[in-house]
Structures are given as C-alpha cells and as structure tokens.
Amino acid sequence: MCLLIAKPAGKSVPASALIQATNVNKDGWGIAWTTRRKRLQVVRGFDVNALVAAVGAITNRPAIIHLRFATHGTKGIENCHPFYVTDNIVMAHNGILDAPMTGDGTADDTFSDTRLFIEFGLRPMLTAHPELFDNDGFRYTMDTLCGTWNKLAF
C-alpha cells in the first residue's frame, strides 16, 4: 500500500526514512505544499535523490508527501499523487477506492483509482460548487464513500 505523510511545518522527514520507503513504494512519489507566496505547488518524480532534496527544501512548510505502490493504473508520472482537484486543492490517497470507470462509464485501466476518483468525481463537483469543500455534509459523504480503510489528505 502507498505511504502517505502529512508533514507539519518545521518538521523534517529523515532522508534515510524516505530512501527506505522508496524500496517498497517504487512506483513514484509526489509532494504538495504552499509557497511563501501562498501558491500551491506539486512536484512528482521517480528519482529518490530528487525526493530527498525536495522534502529537505520544504522543512519550514507543511506538506503532503506520497510514495506510490501501484495497485491500479500504469506506473507513470500521470498516476503519482498528489493530484490537483482544483487550482487551490490537492489530494493524495492511501488505500483502494472503488472507482473503476471513467466519466462516460467506460473502463480505463491506465488510470489509478485515485486519479479516476478525482478526475470524474471530485474535480467536476468542486469546480462547479467550491463551497462544498468546507461543508459538513460533503465531508460526511466523503467519509462514508471512502470508508475507514482509505485515508485522504487535502
């Protein structure tokens, strides 16, 4: 299963832990954080040295760090988390989502389950109704859909 880290500001993630984690989670990594100018930044890759450098450069920023262990979809950069949901929201996921179809109801095994969930569910919904993100009913629905075995980081 993937490794999902919610890194608080001012905390570091030891390089040795990242290197060890990539030995199991070999299918890519991604990091999301906000810059000093309050811009949401996402970086993805496969090279462990680039991962260690990127995480080391954002010690003072809160971040979402995701190391992928592919269960669905191709093992390319396009399926590495975090994903942009909107211009101001990103999401990474740990677990397996029941999201096997694209928006038109066709199966596409090149997409990860998380990418399908975002591209054909969350993104259209939150683009049309951004106010839902802070709505208690929306959060309840997300919790119910995803269950306790899935973890989401926004």
Side-chain angles (χ1 to χ4, degrees):
M1 196 174 288
C2 298
L3 176 63
L4 180 58
I5 301 168
K7 188 195 84 58
K11 299 290 183 179
S12 61
V13 179
S16 60
L18 292 170
I19 292 166
Q20 183 178 357
T22 59
N23 289 330
V24 175
N25 301 79
K26 300 177 181 190
D27 301 321
W29 54 265
I31 308 166
W33 71 97
T34 53
T35 66
R36 290 184 198 137
R37 293 184 174 148
K38 307 286 186 209
R39 293 198 175 146
L40 194 53
Q41 182 75 39
V42 174
V43 175
R44 298 183 190 110
F46 289 94
D47 180 70
V48 67
N49 294 321
L51 169 65
V52 170
V55 171
I58 58 167
T59 299
N60 294 325
R61 314 297 304 169
I64 297 170
I65 304 166
H66 184 271
L67 286 80
R68 186 167 188 245
F69 182 93
T71 56
H72 295 87
T74 56
K75 295 180 182 179
I77 199 81
E78 68 279 359
N79 282 321
C80 291
H81 310 200
F83 296 103
Y84 280 95
V85 177
T86 68
D87 290 341
N88 301 313
I89 300 170
V90 296
M91 188 189 103
H93 162 250
N94 181 346
I96 297 175
L97 293 167
D98 187 18
M101 302 290 183
T102 62
D104 63 3
T106 60
D108 187 338
D109 60 3
T110 65
F111 281 66
S112 73
D113 53 341
T114 308
R115 188 170 152 215
L116 279 168
F117 184 72
I118 290 170
E119 286 199 21
F120 299 103
L122 281 183
R123 183 174 296 133
M125 188 183 327
L126 291 176
T127 298
H129 302 283
E131 73 281 0
L132 286 176
F133 189 69
D134 293 319
N135 180 281
D136 289 338
F138 176 76
R139 289 184 181 174
Y140 173 81
T141 302
M142 289 292 293
D143 287 346
T144 303
L145 282 172
C146 294
T148 57
W149 54 90
N150 285 291
K151 303 299 178 214
L152 307 178
F154 290 93

